[in-house]
Amino acid sequence: MSELTDKLKKDIESFKINSREELEHFRLTYLSKKGRVSSLLGKIGSIAAEERKLFGQKVNAVKKLAHDKLEEAEQRLHKSQKTSRKATDDISLPASSLSLGVAHPLSQTLTRIKDVFYRLGFSIADGPEVEDDFHNFTALNFPPEHPARDMQDTFFIKKSDAPNTDDLVLRTHTSPVQIRLMKNGTPPFRSIMPGRVYRNESITAKSYCLFHQVEGLYVDKNVSLAELKDTLIMFVEMIYGEGVRYRIRPSFFPFTEPSLEMDIWWGDDETGKWLEILGAGMVHPNVLQSVGVDPEEYRGFAFGMGVERIAMLFYGIDDIRLLYDNDLRFLQQFQ
Ligand code: PHE
């Protein structure tokens, strides 16, 4: 019987295992339930009793040989697979972190502003950045020679010879969207109108040639100045917290009467200063008239806030230009 075990031993020894497939082939041929080792063990019953012991020992030795070979090959293949990878491919290392982008601080601020007014029941409207003179100035009660129409502030796209009429401008504020909203609908109106505006100003730490505003308009039968004040105070408290230091002072805009401005305290108690964040007022009757809303029946308030200013106060940014440089070292701080 020893020829059988010797033959099996030889076959096992000469079997070359150099791949995963060969490894599996080896295992199936020799060590599976129906493999050659098992079937040899199955023969033990047909062996003469005095030879059985020796036969059993031999088969077990062959079985061990096959197991050892399998194990050795497994380790060898595993190792060679590992060394064919780069050190950096070690799957046990923690994954390198993905660098995710973050929303720009101005977008984050705008989202916060929208959230506040959404809760106060305002919808959102928008209008074009290239405006005509009528929407940007005339319908908003700017007198024909008002200094805001001057070349100093306004970027003109098309300048006509006739006084103002055909001018096309980059809008200098979001107030023209009030006009579009009211012309295209019927009161009541309660919307905010976020957008980009342009002014031909020199670029400094405090001013830029473009910036963002959020316009607000509320027109209904009994809208009051007290409601405007309440809304603005609620707004700054929701953005900056209840302890925010603000003041509201009288101002002038052609399209509101009375008009006011709101300032927020910037900096320490002693060394800080007031920073204006918005203009507002009761919609001027002439404006309501220019869009076909009866000023005897309806009243409204409007406001226009500077998103950059609100962001700078919120985050403590002291130079508006940082918001436009797109320097990653700056932007990454707003996770
Ligand atoms: N449009 C004004 C500005 O740009 C702000 C404003 C809007 C004031 C609405 C009053 C009412 O300065």
Side-chain angles (χ1 to χ4, degrees):
M1 282 326 283
S2 63
E3 320 83 72
L4 280 178
T5 47
D6 288 348
K7 167 102 175 60
L8 186 56
K9 188 174 171 220
K10 247 196 209 149
D11 287 352
I12 288 172
E13 278 168 348
S14 60
F15 198 106
K16 297 256 177 304
I17 306 178
N18 287 318
S19 68
R20 289 257 150 215
E21 292 73 35
E22 284 168 357
L23 184 80
E24 182 61 4
H25 185 114
F26 178 84
R27 192 186 65 77
L28 287 171
T29 311
Y30 297 101
L31 290 167
S32 65
K33 261 193 199 148
K34 290 182 182 158
R36 284 176 63 184
V37 174
S38 292
S39 55
L40 207 55
L41 271 176
K43 289 204 165 84
I44 205 158
S46 60
I47 286 178
E50 59 280 14
E51 285 181 34
R52 253 182 225 163
K53 193 176 168 200
L54 187 64
F55 180 78
Q57 282 171 354
K58 280 196 165 180
V59 178
N60 277 327
V62 171
K63 191 177 173 184
K64 183 169 184 314
L65 179 76
H67 269 295
D68 289 350
K69 183 164 176 131
L70 187 80
E71 199 168 304
E72 175 277 325
E74 238 165 13
Q75 279 178 7
R76 183 164 39 84
L77 289 175
H78 182 68
K79 243 195 221 157
S80 75
Q81 197 184 35
K82 239 177 154 178
T83 48
S84 72
R85 288 215 196 107
K86 287 182 255 104
T88 49
D89 287 344
D90 185 345
I91 53 164
S92 66
L93 288 174
S96 56
S97 62
L98 291 172
S99 64
L100 286 179
V102 290
H104 191 279
L106 280 179
S107 301
Q108 293 189 30
T109 306
L110 192 56
T111 303
R112 259 183 226 115
I113 296 172
K114 283 181 185 168
D115 272 358
V116 170
F117 286 104
Y118 174 77
R119 288 202 246 166
L120 296 177
F122 284 70
S123 61
I124 295 183
D126 67 2
E129 290 180 25
V130 175
E131 268 296 5
D132 52 29
D133 175 274
F134 175 78
H135 290 89
N136 199 75
F137 296 123
T138 304
L140 287 162
N141 200 34
F142 279 84
E145 302 306 326
H146 192 280
R149 297 177 185 237
D150 198 275
M151 301 289 289
Q152 298 245 312
D153 288 311
T154 310
F155 285 113
F156 286 89
I157 304 267
K158 186 174 144 222
K159 185 98 180 88
S160 60
D161 297 333
N164 311 128
T165 44
D166 297 329
D167 291 354
L168 278 186
V169 302
L170 290 180
R171 67 180 176 194
T172 57
H173 52 179
T174 41
S175 298
V177 192
Q178 285 186 39
I179 302 299
R180 292 183 179 274
L181 186 76
M182 289 193 281
K183 262 199 341 192
N184 293 330
T186 49
F189 300 102
R190 185 151 43 155
S191 295
I192 55 165
M193 296 146 262
R196 187 175 287 180
V197 304
Y198 301 84
R199 291 205 193 156
N200 195 356
E201 286 174 350
S202 52
I203 293 170
T204 67
K206 293 273 164 285
S207 69
Y208 205 70
C209 52
L210 65 89
F211 55 99
H212 297 78
Q213 286 188 332
V214 174
E215 192 81 10
L217 178 72
Y218 179 30
V219 174
D220 207 339
K221 291 206 163 134
N222 282 308
V223 179
S224 66
L225 183 63
E227 271 176 284
L228 170 59
K229 270 182 71 180
D230 273 358
T231 305
L232 297 179
I233 293 168
M234 208 180 308
F235 169 74
V236 293
E237 287 182 343
M238 280 164 95
I239 293 284
Y240 298 109
E242 302 233 325
V244 59
R245 196 167 156 197
Y246 63 84
R247 73 175 182 193
I248 292 173
R249 57 190 164 77
S251 182
F252 173 80
F253 301 101
F255 37 94
T256 47
E257 178 60 36
S259 303
L260 54 90
E261 279 175 328
M262 191 177 204
D263 303 331
I264 299 284
W265 187 258
W266 161 273
D268 297 338
D269 283 358
E270 304 85 44
T271 58
K273 56 175 188 276
W274 291 108
L275 209 65
E276 180 208 323
I277 58 159
L278 60 84
M282 301 304 292
V283 181
H284 197 291
N286 289 354
V287 174
L288 294 176
Q289 226 143 25
S290 76
V291 293
V293 173
D294 183 359
E296 299 292 329
E297 199 183 347
Y298 287 99
R299 288 194 287 173
F301 68 64
F303 55 82
M305 54 183 66
V307 181
E308 278 74 0
R309 284 285 174 88
I310 291 170
M312 289 164 80
L313 280 160
F314 187 84
Y315 293 114
I317 301 165
D318 60 4
D319 191 328
I320 194 170
R321 291 166 292 196
L322 287 167
L323 292 168
Y324 296 101
D325 287 346
N326 285 334
D327 185 330
L328 282 180
R329 290 166 301 179
F330 171 74
L331 295 175
Q332 275 164 350
Q333 298 172 44
F334 300 92
Q335 302 276 359

